Amino acid sequence: YYVNNDYIEYTDKQVEDGYVHTPKNDIVLTNTDLNFRTAPTTDAKKIDTLEENTELRQIAVVDNGWILVSYNGTLGYVKASYTTSLLDKLNSTYPGLNLTELDVESVIYNNATKLNLRQEPSTDSTILGEFERYETMRTIQSTDEWSLVMTNDYNFGYVFKEYTRELDGIFITVDKSEQRLTMYNNDEVLIKTPVTTGKDSTPSDTGYFSIYSKERDRYLTGPGYRSFVKYWMPYNGGEGIHDASWRSDSEFGTEIYHTSGSHGCINTPLEEVIQIYNNVKVG
């Protein structure tokens, strides 16, 4: 279940007495493997160990060098000195904005064949990069014609708004080149996990699809294979998101997909596929 952050005051027992919390809306990245704890102290219980480059939604700054963050729907604390502020990066890139919070408006995707990322909101401006069709980005500010966006590799620039479409609610993106699946609730990342997509001879289709079924404990069959999966979410003919007990954890997210990938499906670690299954809806 989800609630709007605008109507929440973070004053439950997880926020320790004696520490001053100053609200700050930001997105931060861990710059090393980092402990995620129940309180802003190294003596507090560890919730999880976060890998380097994990994205966290920052909620508040604590007066002792820690920050309160949200990770996969759980509140906890990390040391601020081991994170990189994307608000600071944005203000460094565009100092004239002088923003005090990183407030993502929405997630959009490129609906054209190609879309240029530009340094300024002008067709005469320097091209910083290019988006493939269906590639997503997050909008920070928008005008009638241009959107200031954050890319999936955490850079900033402007795109022409006419060629984009907005996504909302719960949705999933799969980056085949990075072998990564991301599940969002509007602009907030709920899950980011390595996956294994289709091999070069049977690549996963590129496109924009709807999940049309949710099924448990079934066999997937095709020429030369019959594989049991616990969770099955088809979205495009015979392609779908599912667990893959025959893969080791070390395989997900690697270049192995070129030769030993799937027949087009998105092989996903069991723990993450359970979360996806419990959150997405048919359609």
Side-chain angles (χ1 to χ4, degrees):
Y1 298 94
Y2 297 91
V3 295
N4 192 318
N5 283 340
D6 294 340
Y7 303 108
I8 294 176
E9 183 178 357
Y10 296 99
T11 57
D12 63 350
K13 294 179 181 179
Q14 190 166 272
V15 178
E16 294 289 297
D17 291 337
Y19 297 105
V20 177
H21 290 67
T22 303
K24 183 179 181 182
N25 185 11
D26 194 1
I27 298 172
V28 300
L29 302 177
T30 59
N31 50 39
T32 185
D33 291 351
L34 187 59
N35 289 327
F36 181 48
R37 298 187 181 275
T38 58
T41 169
T42 55
D43 296 328
K45 180 182 177 181
K46 184 172 73 173
I47 303 171
D48 202 348
T49 299
L50 308 178
E51 294 182 354
E52 183 178 358
N53 210 41
T54 297
E55 178 180 325
L56 306 171
R57 169 65 69 176
Q58 182 173 335
I59 308 298
V61 178
V62 189
D63 62 346
N64 66 344
W66 291 67
I67 54 177
L68 174 63
V69 299
S70 174
Y71 170 67
N72 279 359
T74 300
L75 287 178
Y77 294 86
V78 295
K79 288 275 287 185
S81 58
Y82 297 115
T83 65
T84 299
S85 164
L86 293 179
L87 175 62
D88 290 348
K89 182 176 181 178
L90 176 58
N91 281 327
S92 176
T93 305
Y94 295 102
L97 294 177
N98 197 29
L99 297 178
T100 58
E101 62 179 10
L102 182 53
D103 191 12
V104 174
E105 291 181 349
S106 61
V107 179
I108 58 177
Y109 69 92
N110 171 28
N111 196 44
T113 303
K114 299 285 185 181
L115 178 64
N116 290 325
L117 178 71
R118 295 188 180 270
Q119 187 170 333
E120 300 293 340
S122 167
T123 54
D124 296 325
S125 179
T126 302
I127 296 176
L128 303 175
E130 190 176 66
F131 293 97
E132 299 290 335
R133 190 170 191 188
Y134 302 115
E135 191 171 350
T136 58
M137 61 212 83
R138 283 179 270 183
T139 61
I140 308 302
Q141 290 182 342
S142 295
T143 65
D144 289 341
E145 292 189 337
W146 293 88
S147 295
L148 172 62
V149 301
M150 180 172 68
T151 69
N152 290 323
D153 54 359
Y154 305 108
N155 291 313
F156 298 94
Y158 288 87
V159 296
F160 197 55
K161 198 173 179 180
E162 180 181 344
Y163 301 124
T164 66
R165 297 291 183 271
E166 185 173 333
L167 293 163
D168 59 13
I170 298 234
F171 60 91
I172 292 164
T173 66
V174 176
D175 186 328
K176 294 191 288 184
S177 62
E178 296 293 330
Q179 292 290 286
R180 289 290 185 275
L181 177 151
T182 306
M183 184 169 77
Y184 294 84
N185 180 32
N186 294 314
D187 64 309
E188 184 173 1
V189 173
L190 299 180
I191 296 171
K192 182 174 284 190
T193 179
V195 293
T196 300
T197 63
K199 57 181 176 284
D200 291 351
S201 59
T202 55
S204 302
D205 288 341
T206 298
Y208 176 83
F209 310 105
S210 294
I211 289 173
Y212 61 81
S213 179
K214 291 171 63 177
E215 302 173 35
R216 290 291 314 274
D217 300 330
R218 60 158 294 174
Y219 284 92
L220 307 180
T221 60
Y225 71 91
R226 186 171 187 266
S227 304
F228 176 78
V229 299
K230 295 182 177 180
Y231 298 86
W232 169 238
M233 291 163 280
Y235 60 81
N236 178 36
E239 294 185 8
I241 301 169
H242 62 77
D243 53 293
S245 59
W246 55 91
R247 294 197 185 278
S248 66
D249 289 343
S250 61
E251 289 182 43
F252 293 110
T254 69
E255 294 294 306
I256 196 175
Y257 79 96
H258 286 295
T259 55
S260 300
S262 72
H263 294 86
C265 289
I266 313 302
N267 293 181
T268 306
L270 179 60
E271 183 177 347
E272 283 71 24
V273 87
I274 291 172
Q275 294 182 63
I276 295 167
Y277 189 92
N278 289 337
N279 280 280
V280 299
K281 294 182 179 179
V282 172

